Amino acid sequence: MSTAEARGVFHRARGRTLDAFPSGKEREWKGPFYFIQGADPQFGLMKAWSTGECDSGGDEWGQETRLTEQAVRAVNRLNPKPKFFVLCGDLVHAMPGVKAVFSGHYHRNAGGIYQNLDMVVSSAIGCQLGKDTHGLRVVVVTAEKIVHRYYSLDELSEKGVEDDLMDLLKEK
């Protein structure tokens, strides 16, 4: 998509409203609010950095896990509560035991496999820049595997999650 085409897509979206919120509660300005932005938990970097093996290290996530849990506890204690929390930046540095990474922002479904790591890119709920429909990805994780499937919003609303995925949740 060219820059001119992208500008056209975003220009057409101007002035539209999202009817997803009940009874307009979140659709109108209600006064000041705040949100929390966190960045770069980058699980695995602290050990890698301390040992000097930033390219291949990072197989331990203990410090980052403790700090992330501390951040969540701190946010949960705030009063009044923030409107939302957004986490940006690098989520992981090294991936011990990670079999798949899920992301978005490409506004279309994509992905691939590299060195046994499945990279899954889910299309957008909002503006589509490809041929995919507005939707969500359902991800089922078992001890043996990760199974995922992209559903259009209409399909998920009308039919729900397919039986084969739900059956995986029953396995012990």
Side-chain angles (χ1 to χ4, degrees):
M1 173 177 286
S2 71
T3 304
E5 290 172 320
R7 278 192 207 116
V9 166
F10 296 114
H11 177 73
R12 287 190 308 268
R14 243 184 238 150
R16 295 189 180 173
T17 60
L18 177 63
D19 293 326
F21 299 108
S23 57
K25 180 180 175 189
E26 296 293 331
R27 293 174 61 190
E28 297 177 15
W29 178 255
K30 300 288 186 193
F33 67 91
Y34 78 103
F35 67 92
I36 303 294
Q37 186 255 335
D40 297 303
Q42 206 154 348
F43 292 92
L45 180 60
M46 292 178 83
K47 181 186 177 206
W49 188 267
S50 71
T51 62
E53 295 191 31
C54 290
D55 291 332
S56 61
D59 57 345
E60 292 180 17
W61 296 8
Q63 290 176 283
E64 293 91 341
T65 299
R66 284 188 297 281
L67 290 166
T68 301
E69 289 171 347
Q70 180 181 355
V72 169
R73 284 190 306 272
V75 170
N76 283 338
R77 287 188 185 119
L78 294 173
N79 190 13
K81 298 287 184 207
K83 196 68 144 174
F84 58 89
F85 178 91
V86 62
L87 184 61
C88 306
D90 298 314
L91 300 180
V92 295
H93 177 70
M95 296 169 268
V98 173
K99 297 177 183 175
V101 175
F102 294 86
S103 70
H105 201 64
Y106 189 51
H107 291 258
R108 62 196 81 179
N109 288 310
I113 297 175
Y114 178 73
Q115 295 183 352
N116 295 322
L117 179 67
D118 192 9
M119 180 67 212
V120 181
V121 182
S122 294
S123 194
I125 293 171
C127 182
Q128 297 297 311
L129 300 182
K131 296 183 184 205
D132 298 302
T133 60
H134 305 276
L136 300 166
R137 184 171 304 277
V138 174
V139 182
V140 177
V141 180
T142 70
E144 295 79 32
K145 59 188 168 187
I146 299 172
V147 180
H148 56 89
R149 191 165 300 141
Y150 188 82
Y151 289 90
S152 73
L153 295 178
D154 290 338
E155 182 181 19
L156 194 58
S157 297
E158 293 168 11
K159 299 178 185 173
V161 177
E162 293 170 290
D163 289 340
D164 64 322
L165 290 180
M166 296 306 291
D167 288 344
L168 291 172
L169 296 175
K170 298 174 187 169
E171 294 178 10
K172 297 277 184 213

